[in-house]
Amino acid sequence: MKPNSPFQLESEPTSSRGRHPARRRFSAGATDLARSAPVLAISILILTSLALTQDVPMFRWENFTTANGLPDNHVYTVLVDGNRIWTGTDNGLGLYENGTWKVFRPDPAAKEQSLAHQAVLSLALDKRTGDVWAGTMGGLSRISAGRIDTYTQLNSGLSNDIVYGVGVQGGYVWTATAAGASRLNTRTGQWSLFNSRNTPMYEIWAYAVSPAEDKVYYAVWGGGVLEYDQQTERWKDYNDPDGETEMVVMKDQGLIHEITTSVSYVDKILWVATYFGASRYDGRYWHNFLTKDSGLPSNFLSQIKAVDANRAWFSTDKGLAYYDGTNWAVYRPGLDTHKPEMLIRDANGVVKNISVQTAPSHNYILGVDFQGDDIWVATAHGLSHGIRQKDRMSAAKK
């Protein structure tokens, strides 16, 4: 549907017979104005569209597949480590540095000194030491200065060998596993286990973790969100208040759904991704997002990653979405045409299609990470690098 014109003009008759000269001059001016109205309307719409694009980032996308070095086209996760890009795939851990790829896979001859499993589900960086932690389908691995140490249920206190999420908080490494949560004290080597026995976790399928200085949040698949307070060392849970597993009944009364897939805690704001929409919680009020009343391209989310209290990125099965607190943007290959597509939705719900030449390699987005103004995107078929276009107005005209 085309937007209504901002001009609603009634033109004067072209004939000026029987009228005062001054009236004739006014009529002629009104006629000229009426004739120019469509041009003005189009100009206003173009300027409005361009101004809107300045509020959301635009990218030139570069895509990586196995054809140019990626270990596998199914990419679960991506981690930015300065100029190094780590990516967890279905067949190994990839490191992209100085234009080349290095691949890490399990070594049967040195199981505890190699990658735990070829399927790498999650990654985290210890900024203090530079160590990279990799959660896999067969344990947790630490890559440190070229050395790999692997932790499993057999040689450590890891809750389960399927590690869906990992996060670093000071001297602690938190993991989300198929059998609850676990925490490693890297100073002492001591493990702590958290499950239904010592937390409100009535489901133990922990899917993601987001640690910060004051809180640690877990997405528990089928069990909502779990919060750990660092100061009091107490746990608290957040669940869907309507208890309906098939639909959303109460919009902003609490967590939108209990099947949670990702959490992101930034600037004391909690963002939550689920299979039925997304939620934002400021400690007092919940605000939920659905496709029917937001710019989300799909309610099925794999990851959510916040920039700050107002801005966040949403990884869905129908494209990558960005929210700046007011406007939405979606980046993807067109669902029908498969051609590069960028959609922008403003606060009034008006959607514009911005002409672009490139897009992420696939619609199914599993995760993102930031490299300055750039963004790296893990998809179901390749890894994508979004290079931020500084001259947004020029980019919008292309």
Side-chain angles (χ1 to χ4, degrees):
M1 181 179 294
K2 295 181 179 180
N4 293 327
S5 169
F7 296 94
Q8 300 293 332
L9 297 174
E10 294 182 0
S11 61
E12 290 282 335
T14 56
S15 174
S16 59
R17 183 178 300 175
R19 297 188 179 180
H20 191 276
R23 178 61 174 166
R24 287 197 298 269
R25 289 194 295 271
F26 178 80
S27 297
T31 301
D32 292 341
L33 179 60
R35 289 173 177 170
S36 64
V39 176
L40 290 173
I42 293 172
S43 299
I44 291 294
L45 287 174
I46 292 174
L47 290 173
T48 301
S49 176
L50 293 176
L52 186 57
T53 62
Q54 291 183 342
D55 295 331
V56 297
M58 297 188 69
F59 301 98
R60 176 175 62 83
W61 295 94
E62 292 181 346
N63 298 319
F64 299 86
T65 64
T66 53
N68 47 16
L70 193 67
D72 191 86
N73 285 336
H74 193 131
V75 184
Y76 292 108
T77 184
V78 60
L79 172 70
V80 173
D81 177 14
N83 293 323
R84 304 195 300 173
I85 308 301
W86 298 86
T87 182
T89 79
D90 208 29
N91 190 28
L93 173 65
L95 170 60
Y96 184 68
E97 185 176 19
N98 298 324
T100 60
W101 285 94
K102 181 178 181 180
V103 179
F104 301 85
R105 292 190 177 99
D107 180 359
K111 291 184 178 180
E112 292 187 8
Q113 284 76 45
S114 69
L115 197 66
H117 194 277
Q118 68 268 20
V120 180
L121 308 178
S122 55
L123 293 167
L125 175 66
D126 187 336
K127 295 182 179 179
R128 302 171 310 126
T129 64
D131 293 352
V132 171
W133 292 85
T136 80
M137 288 287 287
L140 177 70
S141 294
R142 177 176 60 186
I143 300 94
S144 178
R147 174 187 171 88
I148 298 179
D149 296 300
T150 286
Y151 303 85
T152 66
Q153 291 176 266
L154 296 178
N155 68 3
S156 73
L158 187 67
S159 300
N160 188 274
D161 285 347
I162 302 177
V163 184
Y164 290 110
V166 60
V168 178
Q169 178 198 58
Y172 293 101
V173 176
W174 294 82
T175 65
T177 82
S182 53
R183 182 185 66 186
L184 169 64
N185 185 328
T186 59
R187 299 184 183 93
T188 65
Q190 181 180 4
W191 287 85
S192 301
L193 304 184
F194 305 99
N195 49 43
S196 58
R197 297 178 180 178
N198 55 357
T199 78
M201 189 185 300
Y202 59 87
E203 290 284 350
I204 60 172
W205 195 356
Y207 215 62
V209 60
S210 179
E213 291 184 3
D214 57 334
K215 301 285 179 64
V216 177
Y217 285 95
Y218 273 89
V220 183
W221 203 96
V225 172
L226 214 62
E227 174 191 282
Y228 178 76
D229 189 301
Q230 295 278 49
Q231 185 174 3
T232 64
E233 297 185 349
R234 293 181 179 176
W235 291 89
K236 179 179 180 181
D237 62 336
Y238 299 92
N239 303 109
D240 182 4
D242 59 46
E244 175 58 56
T245 60
E246 298 298 329
M247 65 182 70
V248 176
V249 178
M250 295 185 288
K251 175 71 165 58
D252 289 320
Q253 298 303 307
L255 180 66
I256 199 165
H257 206 275
E258 294 195 354
I259 299 180
T260 54
T261 57
S262 175
V263 282
S264 185
Y265 183 62
V266 178
D267 291 344
K268 298 188 182 302
I269 300 294
L270 174 66
W271 301 78
V272 186
T274 82
Y275 278 178
F276 294 86
S279 295
R280 178 186 182 275
Y281 182 55
D282 64 8
R284 185 175 182 183
Y285 298 108
W286 289 89
H287 180 75
N288 296 326
F289 306 95
L290 294 166
T291 55
K292 65 180 181 181
D293 55 15
S294 75
L296 275 179
S298 170
N299 289 328
F300 189 95
L301 282 78
S302 297
Q303 190 212 41
I304 192 166
K305 194 171 182 69
V307 179
D308 53 32
N310 298 308
R311 298 177 295 163
W313 291 86
F314 304 76
S315 299
T316 84
D317 63 337
K318 293 183 180 178
L320 174 65
Y322 169 75
Y323 178 59
D324 68 4
T326 302
N327 304 306
W328 288 84
V330 174
Y331 313 82
R332 66 188 183 187
L335 299 181
D336 297 323
T337 66
H338 305 294
K339 294 180 180 179
E341 182 176 79
M342 178 180 174
L343 304 175
I344 295 181
R345 182 184 189 272
D346 65 18
N348 297 319
V350 177
V351 178
K352 294 180 173 66
N353 194 326
I354 306 301
S355 177
V356 292
Q357 302 300 314
T358 58
S361 60
H362 198 272
N363 287 320
Y364 203 126
I365 312 296
L366 288 103
V368 303
D369 202 7
F370 314 125
Q371 187 180 36
D373 289 333
D374 290 2
I375 188 169
W376 288 83
V377 183
T379 84
H381 191 83
L383 176 71
S384 298
H385 177 201
I387 302 169
R388 183 73 172 265
Q389 301 300 285
K390 302 297 184 181
D391 188 354
R392 301 170 193 162
M393 188 169 291
S394 296
K397 294 178 181 178
K398 292 181 181 179

